[in-house]
Amino acid sequence: FNNRKLEDLTGKVLQSGKPAKEDIVFYSDEDLYLSIEAIPIESEASVNETDGARNKKMVLLIIDNATQEVEFSRLRSQFAATISHEMRTPLTSIKGYMETLMESGVKDKKMIKDYLSKSLKEVERLNFLIKDVLDLSKIEYRRNVLFQENNDLVAILKDTINSLDFLSRKNEVKIDLNHSKEKIFYNTDEELFSQMVRNILENSI
């Protein structure tokens, strides 16, 4: 197997005569996570003319490939961290818009409509994230497949910047979007691209 840990495990079992178990990673282009149980056994063998030994020590290796379970567990941990981060911003924005409307006594109908509209978009975003939480198999699928379409990057950027309006104003930050054309098309996954831009802007703010 060309693996030092496996050689050490086998040697330890041969020397002690007692079974042992260890989780070992085999590093390659695609890492393998194997749970290996080594059990000492003795087998009758023909007499060795050199030392006269009649029994030959051997080790039975029972190998369980746990790669899929380990990868899925890691995916769930990464997903939990990502989803908590993704949910924080829309919740902060919704809370901020609602508090502003309630505390300031805004009577400007246009402003009220604008704040409610932005809050509704953030609710829709939360709804999308919750659907992913309820369907981890979808996340596993999304990890390997991009829903690529010809999307207008300017529109995505504008929408993402608007969704961060409350956060940027709260931190006294102004986000300017400069682009050479009215529309710039690119073949990409709209949701993942939007998440990437949102994360960059959040970290910058």
Side-chain angles (χ1 to χ4, degrees):
F1 287 99
N2 192 29
N3 184 286
R4 179 64 181 272
K5 286 188 176 181
L6 180 57
E7 292 173 6
D8 290 345
L9 175 65
T10 306
K12 181 176 71 175
V13 171
L14 280 172
Q15 188 174 12
S16 67
K18 296 180 180 179
K21 189 175 182 179
E22 189 172 347
D23 295 329
I24 300 176
V25 182
F26 288 76
Y27 296 101
S28 61
D29 292 338
E30 294 187 7
D31 297 340
L32 285 176
Y33 296 83
L34 305 182
S35 179
I36 301 176
E37 185 175 3
I39 303 172
I41 57 176
E42 290 188 356
S43 174
E44 292 184 2
S46 58
V47 176
N48 187 307
E49 293 181 359
T50 303
D51 55 20
R54 290 184 176 276
N55 292 329
K56 185 177 181 180
K57 287 185 177 181
M58 296 188 296
V59 174
L60 171 67
L61 298 177
I62 300 176
I63 303 174
D64 177 28
N65 187 353
T67 303
Q68 187 174 3
E69 288 82 356
V70 171
E71 287 295 326
F72 188 66
S73 177
R74 179 184 297 173
L75 175 69
R76 291 178 67 179
S77 298
Q78 291 175 347
F79 174 71
T82 300
I83 209 71
S84 61
H85 175 78
E86 292 290 336
M87 285 183 169
R88 192 176 299 120
T89 300
L91 283 172
T92 301
S93 296
I94 293 170
K95 183 174 182 288
Y97 288 132
M98 295 299 102
E99 286 179 346
T100 301
L101 290 175
M102 291 180 66
E103 294 173 4
S104 63
V106 177
K107 296 182 179 180
D108 186 340
K109 290 186 178 181
K110 185 178 180 181
M111 185 177 179
I112 294 174
K113 186 177 181 181
D114 180 51
Y115 276 23
L116 291 178
S117 177
K118 288 178 178 178
S119 296
L120 183 58
K121 283 188 177 181
E122 294 304 296
V123 170
E124 290 173 353
R125 175 170 172 75
L126 280 173
N127 187 46
F128 175 84
L129 293 171
I130 291 170
K131 283 181 179 178
D132 278 351
V133 173
L134 298 175
D135 191 358
L136 285 177
S137 61
K138 179 180 178 182
I139 299 304
E140 173 73 10
Y141 180 67
R142 289 277 289 173
R143 184 183 63 163
N144 299 312
V145 178
L146 296 178
F147 297 111
Q148 292 186 325
E149 293 179 343
N150 201 27
N151 289 293
D152 178 11
L153 298 189
V154 175
I156 296 176
L157 290 170
K158 285 182 177 179
D159 185 60
T160 305
I161 291 172
N162 285 335
S163 71
L164 294 169
D165 177 63
F166 180 80
L167 185 64
S168 60
R169 287 192 296 103
K170 180 182 178 182
N171 290 276
E172 298 181 349
V173 172
K174 183 180 179 183
I175 304 174
D176 288 323
L177 175 62
N178 300 308
H179 51 94
S180 58
K181 297 180 180 179
E182 185 178 347
K183 294 183 178 182
I184 301 175
F185 289 98
Y186 185 68
N187 195 39
T188 185
D189 184 308
E190 180 179 359
E191 180 60 31
L192 294 181
F193 186 86
S194 177
Q195 285 182 12
M196 177 187 70
V197 174
R198 176 184 286 262
N199 288 339
I200 292 173
L201 291 176
E202 283 181 3
N203 292 337
S204 299
I205 293 173

